[in-house]
Amino acid sequence: MKSEILNLVEEDLIAGEVVIWAGQPNDRLFCRNDWKMVPYSLFLAVFSFYWEYASIVSGAPVIMPITGAIFVLFALYALVGRFFYKSYLKTNTYYYVTNKRVMTIKNLSYKKIEVKDIYYLKVINRYIDIDGSGDIEFGNIPFRMSVLINTGMDLFNRGRRFVIVPLAFYDLDNADEVSNLINEIRKGNYGEMNKDDKKTN
């Protein structure tokens, strides 16, 4: 594990807590949920550009092209801009598995920490591709959020207290290995795994 990743979480560990695994999202920008966004973003783009064009050529009241311009900007973000936000977010997002908790840290203009007790996780949803990459969600995503999550469109849910999204590890290259590690810790087998590793080394 890279020392800078460990240094970031050091002050947030509790007594007796040890980091077992740490990592970051991969650099892929087009991921599982982005496929769901494609039809919505295309429809929004066609609708907003037509609105703007029609309101200008028809000589509609000034409020119409202004409103259309807002829709156009939003459509451009949905088509292209969100990927820049995703890239920025991924570069500054860190995932941790300890002997007690799972944690995410977003080290942006502020430091946002999310934690879950590893022994009290009621739901673990895995979305694993053939190559072992994928997502791990520690809870159920509300249906109305399932299309937006991890697409860059979730930017618009920042600061909304009524939007509750469970902690998750998105876009892991080794999601299957991390998921298995978490399950072994929850079963109390991690110490035995370490003993076996030492015997084979």
Side-chain angles (χ1 to χ4, degrees):
M1 287 179 276
K2 294 181 179 180
S3 59
E4 59 265 29
I5 297 180
L6 294 177
N7 291 339
L8 185 64
V9 75
E10 186 175 1
E11 65 182 19
D12 302 301
L13 298 177
I14 58 179
E17 189 170 24
V18 178
V19 176
I20 297 172
W21 174 89
Q24 287 187 272
N26 57 42
D27 57 3
R28 301 174 193 171
L29 291 181
F30 203 88
C31 307
R32 174 173 59 93
N33 285 343
D34 287 299
W35 290 105
K36 302 174 186 178
M37 276 300 303
V38 169
Y40 294 99
S41 57
L42 288 176
F43 172 79
L44 180 62
V46 172
F47 171 79
S48 59
F49 280 103
Y50 177 77
W51 176 310
E52 184 69 357
Y53 171 78
S55 62
I56 291 174
V57 299
S58 66
V62 68
I63 189 64
M64 298 296 286
I66 291 176
T67 303
I70 295 173
F71 277 116
V72 167
L73 290 174
F74 188 75
L76 288 174
Y77 178 83
L79 282 173
V80 180
R82 63 190 178 91
F83 292 106
F84 290 96
Y85 174 69
K86 280 186 67 173
S87 177
Y88 168 70
L89 196 61
K90 282 189 169 196
T91 303
N92 295 281
T93 295
Y94 304 86
Y95 302 137
Y96 301 89
V97 177
T98 76
N99 58 326
K100 296 185 177 184
R101 301 183 292 176
V102 290
M103 310 171 62
T104 66
I105 292 180
K106 292 182 173 65
N107 193 31
L108 309 172
S109 56
Y110 58 95
K111 184 178 179 182
K112 179 181 179 182
I113 304 172
E114 296 179 87
V115 300
K116 286 282 187 180
D117 190 308
I118 202 166
Y119 296 104
Y120 292 94
L121 295 172
K122 295 182 179 179
V123 177
I124 301 179
N125 294 318
R126 306 178 349 140
Y127 302 91
I128 311 295
D129 292 332
I130 296 175
D131 63 358
S133 64
D135 308 326
I136 308 171
E137 296 173 347
F138 304 104
N140 292 318
I141 303 293
F143 177 76
R144 61 196 176 92
M145 280 293 299
S146 61
V147 176
L148 302 180
I149 203 72
N150 195 37
T151 63
M153 297 301 291
D154 38 353
L155 167 68
F156 298 100
N157 287 308
R158 286 177 56 185
R160 295 186 181 183
R161 295 181 180 179
F162 61 86
V163 178
I164 301 175
V165 179
L167 186 152
F169 294 172
Y170 288 114
D171 305 326
L172 291 179
D173 282 329
N174 56 340
D176 56 341
E177 297 176 13
V178 176
S179 176
N180 291 335
L181 173 62
I182 292 170
N183 285 332
E184 292 303 317
I185 296 171
R186 283 161 55 80
K187 293 175 185 176
N189 296 335
Y190 183 73
E192 296 301 319
M193 291 167 59
N194 275 349
K195 291 178 184 178
D196 292 339
D197 290 341
K198 291 177 181 178
K199 288 179 183 177
T200 57
N201 289 337

